[in-house]
Amino acid sequence: MQGEKYRQFHARSINERELFWREQAALIHWQRPFDAVLDYSRPPFAKWFIGGKTNLCFNAVDRWLATQADERALIWVSTEVNQERTYTFAALAREVNRAAAMMQACGVGHSDRVLIYMPMIPEAAFAMLACARLGAIHSVVFGGFASHSLATRIDDAKPKLIVSADGGSRAGKVVAYKPLLDEAIRLARHKPATVLLVDRGLAPMRKTADRDLDWTSFGAAYDHAQIPVTWLEASDPSYILYTSGTTGKPKGVQRDTGGHAVALAASMKYIFCGNAGETYFSTSDIGWVVGHSYIIYGPLLAGMATIMYEGTPVRPDGGILWKLVEQYKVSVMFSAPTAIRVLKKQDPAFLKKYDLASLRHLFLAGEPLDESTAQWIQEGLGRPVIDNFWQTETGWPILSAQPGVDAMLTKFGSPSIPVYGYDVRLLNEQTGKEVGAGEKGVVAIMPPLPPGCMSTVWGDDDRFVETYFKTIPGQLAYSTFDWGVRDENGYYFILGRTDDVINVAGHRLGTREIEESISSHASIAEVAVIGVADPLKGQVPVGFAVVKDATQIETAAARMQLEGDLMKVVDTQLGAIARPARIHFVSMLPKTRSGKILRRLIQALCEGRDPGDLTTIEDPSALDQVRALVSKG
Ligand code: AMP
């Protein structure tokens, strides 16, 4: 249960907020000390460490050169192309300086945006850190996204430079990135001046003259470049990371520099318990927030080596993750429940095959961790498994056990208790009042948000306030858009999203974006996409579409053909991760009398649950159609 040490630590982080964070700020190097810890004169905007100057790249790389230049910093393992490369801090510094020199030569400087659309290769890490060195703002776009998704992000971030590669590889299959990138640039209104390309020799690339540069040949001129660190104001943006919401337009989560560095450094100490010289292994991708925080910045800020893994948990076999733990003496590991559910289908002997003595904890996050999966892996590994709940917006855990603060018991099915710095409340969505133990409420955070959380929506302060702080009546409270319940011991349980965001294998997708993509097909009049519970991936998208001309889908063959065509549209516009498991055809969608699609009712039927109150529905026969289709499978 919650210990006294934890209780005091958490209470102090809220009641003596500025003192608390002033102490944590000592975990990083400041080129110029800050004048004030917090400026909260314009709620809900919180500016941390006012007047302080620092740099993320300096803290992650240069800072360690004096004490551990020859120790491992970045370990790259690809089971896709069967290669491994290790960079010491000194080698990483060289690569980052070279990348920064290339960027500078492309005219990139302070506050310019650089979009990074890359597979899991070391150059992606070099590019991110090079941006940080120059004070440029990176925007990493997950390599699984396709041209339309990429184009929207290009138009919003307006990058001067895009860094990409010929391709990636997933489960042994090459995915060509360059054609998707070329198409995205064609679709976008904003045109980047330069595209810097890593050629892995995986997929043929057609270069565009005067725009495309080759990483290796262009970089040769900068082999020994030394690019001075640009010291940034603590509140200068470090990156933008797009995330899905209820509208079709992804939000650019903007993060600062000083608060970000302090928050991650503190989380390495109090949550992840990672020490300089040890190894951290996160199986995420740099395209997601976990990849930003806990593949790149967090471990390096703590002077740890970090493993960047290109591959799946089951190739060449289901023991690969544990083999890497043994080989690199991993002490902290971070993965997603879906990866563990995939492993559950493998021979359990793999869990015992390797020496896991170095491993202290396994952290899992990104989606609900069901009890049986948590139990299976905890017993299998003989190590504590720590479920932690957070979001792209916060950048580091909101709810988690914090073994660096206090020894505490975890409960299966619960991401435990509020992390220091977060004033977490469960609020009634109608009254805004706090709910009691055992009652369902919206998981909310009372502002100011702690350091490291999003500072605003890129280019849209109003959207930041309206989206996150105006949905709970009567007060300014940050909504996570998750339902939760707390037991009498203060442990939280997450019950799912309050909005139309779905979570597929730990990846957050907006159903609205998928609907817009399907609707772009000429045959479609209307469509609803919902998330349906799936034993492996947590949720999968399923679509219900109305066609403009019903005669077009009279035969089963025609329906199959159209369903396949629509899936291809989603694949090419958004990427295969957003592809619905099924798209059913109906003559109308269940709607309220005011025309709102009743997605929750459709979802209930798809999951075999009672749809509940049907009084608001315009035409109940619309539900009968859904019911009939779902029962056919
Ligand atoms: P993302 O911003 O992509 O990291 O997605 C954040 C969302 O994932 C949260 O709002 C939750 O809906 C879900 N999520 C993340 N971690 C957990 C967890 N440990 N338990 C339950 N849901 C989670």
Side-chain angles (χ1 to χ4, degrees):
M1 294 304 112
Q2 297 181 28
E4 193 45 40
K5 260 200 258 167
Y6 160 75
R7 245 193 295 273
Q8 279 178 16
F9 195 76
H10 187 269
R12 186 154 176 269
S13 76
I14 303 300
N15 303 332
E16 296 173 53
R17 183 174 275 127
E18 298 192 20
L19 218 55
F20 178 88
W21 286 110
R22 180 180 292 280
E23 283 168 20
Q24 306 317 324
L27 292 167
I28 68 153
H29 167 84
W30 292 92
Q31 186 67 6
R32 181 193 185 280
F34 45 89
D35 305 313
V37 177
L38 172 66
D39 173 0
Y40 195 51
S41 54
R42 197 165 67 101
F45 297 91
K47 279 190 168 183
W48 290 94
F49 309 115
I50 311 301
K53 287 199 180 236
T54 188
N55 181 288
L56 273 161
C57 179
F58 180 88
N59 275 285
V61 184
D62 304 54
R63 189 183 176 202
W64 304 107
L65 294 178
T67 49
Q68 49 189 79
D70 298 327
E71 286 186 30
R72 286 196 282 236
L74 180 69
I75 300 160
W76 176 64
V77 178
S78 172
T79 50
E80 294 291 335
V81 294
N82 291 320
Q83 287 177 18
E84 293 196 19
R85 271 190 256 159
T86 295
Y87 299 85
T88 60
F89 278 94
L92 180 60
R94 266 196 306 280
E95 296 290 351
V96 171
N97 271 287
R98 187 152 63 108
M102 285 194 267
M103 288 185 184
Q104 229 174 28
C106 296
V108 173
H110 179 245
S111 77
D112 287 329
R113 273 80 59 211
V114 174
L115 189 140
I116 299 174
Y117 179 60
M118 291 181 100
M120 287 287 283
I121 52 175
E123 289 81 356
F126 307 154
M128 290 169 77
L129 292 162
C131 287
R133 189 167 199 84
L134 297 172
I137 301 167
H138 61 66
S139 180
V140 183
V141 177
F142 175 58
F145 283 130
S147 30
H148 176 83
S149 305
L150 192 49
T152 347
R153 287 152 174 85
I154 292 173
D155 276 334
D156 196 70
K158 301 191 176 51
K160 196 174 248 182
L161 169 73
I162 295 184
V163 187
S164 190
D166 58 336
S169 177
R170 173 103 193 133
K173 247 179 69 188
V174 169
V175 185
Y177 280 34
K178 182 64 166 39
L180 297 174
L181 175 62
D182 285 341
E183 174 63 5
I185 296 176
R186 194 187 66 74
L187 290 171
R189 285 184 306 279
H190 172 85
K191 310 288 175 196
T194 315
V195 175
L196 185 55
L197 293 153
V198 177
D199 190 351
R200 309 176 69 190
L202 287 181
M205 272 200 285
R206 202 176 312 135
K207 296 257 177 69
T208 300
D210 301 330
R211 189 197 71 187
D212 295 357
L213 293 174
D214 178 74
W215 180 284
T216 310
S217 54
F218 184 54
Y222 304 100
D223 256 354
H224 300 286
Q226 291 279 346
I227 303 297
V229 160
T230 302
W231 297 107
L232 302 175
E233 288 292 330
S235 58
D236 277 350
S238 60
Y239 74 71
I240 311 167
L241 179 58
Y242 288 89
T243 191
S244 302
T246 42
T247 68
K249 189 173 180 277
K251 290 182 288 275
V253 168
Q254 178 181 322
R255 210 168 308 287
D256 71 358
T257 297
H260 178 204
V262 171
L264 292 185
S267 73
M268 294 305 295
K269 179 172 173 185
Y270 300 117
I271 304 173
F272 297 99
C273 303
N275 305 307
E278 295 178 343
T279 304
Y280 196 109
F281 179 18
S282 162
T283 66
S284 183
D285 186 286
I286 46 146
W288 307 111
V289 71
V290 180
H292 282 63
S293 295
Y294 297 114
I295 295 177
I296 307 295
Y297 291 113
L300 294 175
L301 286 172
M304 296 181 79
T306 182
I307 297 182
M308 193 173 183
Y309 176 59
E310 182 184 49
T312 72
V314 291
R315 272 170 49 98
D317 61 45
I320 180 64
L321 300 184
W322 318 119
K323 179 171 178 272
L324 293 175
V325 170
E326 177 185 280
Q327 188 177 344
Y328 292 106
K329 299 200 170 31
V330 170
S331 55
V332 189
M333 188 161 169
F334 194 132
S335 194
T338 295
I340 308 302
R341 286 194 291 265
V342 167
L343 292 180
K344 253 165 102 178
K345 297 187 165 176
Q346 305 285 313
D347 185 348
F350 282 125
L351 294 178
K352 301 284 173 224
K353 189 171 166 191
Y354 297 98
D355 177 6
L356 307 181
S358 58
L359 187 67
R360 281 193 296 267
H361 299 103
L362 170 64
F363 291 85
L364 297 175
E367 54 179 317
L369 172 63
D370 53 282
E371 245 181 275
S372 80
T373 302
Q375 199 157 2
W376 179 82
I377 191 70
Q378 180 156 308
E379 281 166 11
L381 293 179
R383 292 290 182 287
V385 167
I386 299 185
D387 179 6
N388 54 118
F389 162 84
W390 48 294
Q391 312 181 299
T392 305
E393 287 84 347
T394 66
W396 57 287
I398 305 169
L399 299 172
S400 179
Q402 298 139 67
V405 175
D406 201 350
M408 55 186 94
L409 290 177
T410 51
K411 288 187 185 185
F412 289 127
S414 163
S416 303
I417 51 184
V419 172
Y420 57 87
Y422 289 98
D423 187 358
V424 181
R425 312 273 173 95
L426 277 178
L427 303 178
N428 180 293
E429 86 278 20
Q430 255 129 40
T431 64
K433 297 228 165 68
E434 279 196 71
V435 301
E439 286 177 62
K440 175 173 159 177
V442 179
V443 181
I445 304 163
M446 302 315 285
L449 296 178
C453 290
M454 77 187 288
S455 19
T456 188
V457 171
W458 172 253
D460 200 342
D461 282 355
D462 289 344
R463 193 171 176 204
F464 173 63
V465 180
E466 293 303 317
T467 307
Y468 294 105
F469 292 91
K470 291 286 175 72
T471 58
I472 292 163
Q475 60 192 317
L476 201 61
Y478 170 89
S479 174
T480 62
F481 299 101
D482 280 289
W483 294 112
V485 64
R486 189 176 46 216
D487 69 13
E488 60 288 352
N489 296 312
Y491 279 66
Y492 285 71
F493 294 79
I494 301 297
L495 307 173
R497 296 279 302 193
T498 64
D499 57 9
D500 292 327
V501 166
I502 62 172
N503 197 316
V504 180
H507 304 325
R508 175 163 157 189
L509 299 170
T511 51
R512 199 64 227 125
E513 286 166 77
I514 309 176
E515 287 171 0
E516 281 179 14
S517 176
I518 295 173
S519 299
S520 71
H521 190 284
S523 303
I524 299 303
E526 212 180 5
V527 62
V529 171
I530 49 146
V532 175
D534 179 82
L536 191 65
K537 296 181 175 175
Q539 280 186 308
V540 289
V542 172
F544 288 85
V546 180
V547 291
K548 288 179 185 155
D549 174 8
T551 60
Q552 207 198 332
I553 50 158
E554 272 168 353
T555 64
R559 283 194 291 277
M560 256 175 69
Q561 171 73 39
L562 183 58
E563 185 178 4
D565 290 350
L566 295 173
M567 289 191 183
K568 265 191 226 122
V569 170
V570 176
D571 274 9
T572 50
Q573 290 190 356
L574 303 180
I577 51 161
R579 182 199 307 152
R582 283 300 313 265
I583 300 170
H584 299 287
F585 298 104
V586 287
S587 67
M588 63 179 147
L589 292 168
K591 288 186 183 173
T592 61
R593 285 185 196 91
S594 55
K596 260 187 91 174
I597 298 171
L598 289 159
R599 291 186 179 77
R600 261 161 244 289
L601 296 192
I602 308 177
Q603 188 189 34
L605 290 180
C606 289
E607 293 181 350
R609 290 183 282 113
D610 175 7
D613 182 12
L614 299 179
T615 48
T616 55
I617 194 165
E618 163 93 358
D619 185 342
S621 71
L623 269 193
D624 297 335
Q625 286 192 39
V626 173
R627 203 178 272 120
L629 283 165
V630 173
S631 63
K632 269 200 279 172

